[in-house]
Amino acid sequence: MPAPAAWPPDTDPDTHIEALAAQGVQRRYRRGALLIQEGDTGDTLYIVRQGRLRAFLADDSGKELTLGTYGPLEYVGEMSLDGGPRSANVEAAEASMCSVISRATLLAYIAAHPEFALVLMARLIRRARLATESARSVALIDVYGRLVRLLNQMAQVPDARGERMLRERITHQAIAQHLACSREMVSRLLKDLESGGYIAVRERWIWLLKTLPARW
């Protein structure tokens, strides 16, 4: 007997997201624009059409922790559709266009396509797991260990020489925001890895030349 498909034929996630996005209001955001502020009450969902968004937490001193970045056909804002406060900040990491979906539009779409509730449920479960992993990483793994984990997560498949380029250009400050540490510490660790021949920076792209050591 063949294994069941992960999704029934009529519940392809991207198909639903495309259809839902077509019902929203299209808005453009400049880089750095704040779409969602932690603690605010909101009832809108943002589906990324172009560009990239960043979800993050910030304290009173300005220190930030990046929770995730989201590109085309990904969405943010679903956590507050129960009427509760926003759980994080969301900004445009680059010039972006989003389809803004109201709570009423989302509920009407779910009523017409109840299988889409499975898509939302899967996304919420995945985000809960990522949040758990992030909390464990910050609490139990040192900064170098968190850096190795992030670089491996961002790396593409190896090329013919066994080298892996990161999927996107990322600054030392952005890495620090992912790791909940200072930019200076990230710069020092990357410089050490580069001196050791483990990584290379080519036209501002980070390449992993060989397996990163577990300890430094």
Side-chain angles (χ1 to χ4, degrees):
M1 178 181 298
W7 295 94
D10 60 346
T11 59
D12 175 68
D14 286 354
T15 299
H16 280 299
I17 296 301
E18 287 277 15
L20 181 58
Q23 299 184 27
V25 177
Q26 310 304 306
R27 293 180 182 167
R28 294 186 178 275
Y29 300 93
R30 59 174 176 78
R31 179 181 179 183
L34 193 64
L35 285 68
I36 294 174
Q37 186 164 4
E38 181 183 2
D40 285 353
T41 300
D43 62 353
T44 49
L45 181 77
Y46 296 81
I47 300 176
V48 183
R49 306 294 292 180
Q50 298 174 6
R52 190 162 50 91
L53 306 182
R54 179 175 77 101
F56 65 98
L57 300 174
D59 63 16
D60 293 338
S61 68
K63 185 177 180 181
E64 297 180 356
L65 173 63
T66 296
L67 302 176
T69 57
Y70 309 97
L73 290 187
E74 294 186 293
Y75 52 88
V76 297
E78 76 279 9
M79 294 291 287
S80 70
L81 291 173
D82 63 351
R86 299 289 194 180
S87 58
N89 305 293
V90 176
E91 70 172 5
E94 57 190 59
S96 303
M97 182 174 74
C98 298
S99 179
V100 183
I101 310 296
S102 68
R103 182 174 185 271
T105 298
L106 176 62
L107 293 179
Y109 187 87
I110 293 174
H113 307 277
E115 67 276 9
F116 182 60
L118 296 175
V119 178
L120 287 174
M121 186 184 302
R123 177 61 177 264
L124 289 170
I125 291 171
R126 186 161 61 251
R127 285 197 173 176
R129 286 176 175 163
L130 288 174
T132 300
E133 288 300 314
S134 179
R136 179 185 292 117
S137 176
V138 171
L140 302 178
I141 304 176
D142 63 16
V143 173
Y144 175 75
R146 300 204 297 274
L147 174 63
V148 169
R149 181 173 181 173
L150 177 66
L151 293 178
N152 283 325
Q153 288 176 340
M154 296 186 67
Q156 302 185 61
V157 297
D159 62 12
R161 294 182 296 181
E163 299 177 354
R164 296 178 293 160
M165 184 176 75
L166 298 196
R167 292 191 305 271
E168 62 183 76
R169 283 189 175 124
I170 186 168
T171 66
H172 292 191
Q173 181 61 37
I175 293 175
Q177 290 168 345
H178 276 281
L179 305 183
C181 70
S182 69
R183 181 185 61 79
E184 290 75 17
M185 179 171 287
V186 169
S187 297
R188 178 175 60 80
L189 289 173
L190 291 177
K191 182 178 180 180
D192 287 349
L193 288 173
E194 189 172 8
S195 298
Y198 290 97
I199 70 171
V201 180
R202 301 166 182 163
E203 297 181 349
R204 294 187 297 152
W205 287 89
I206 296 176
W207 286 76
L208 309 188
L209 306 182
K210 53 187 177 182
T211 301
L212 301 178
R215 299 287 179 186
W216 193 257

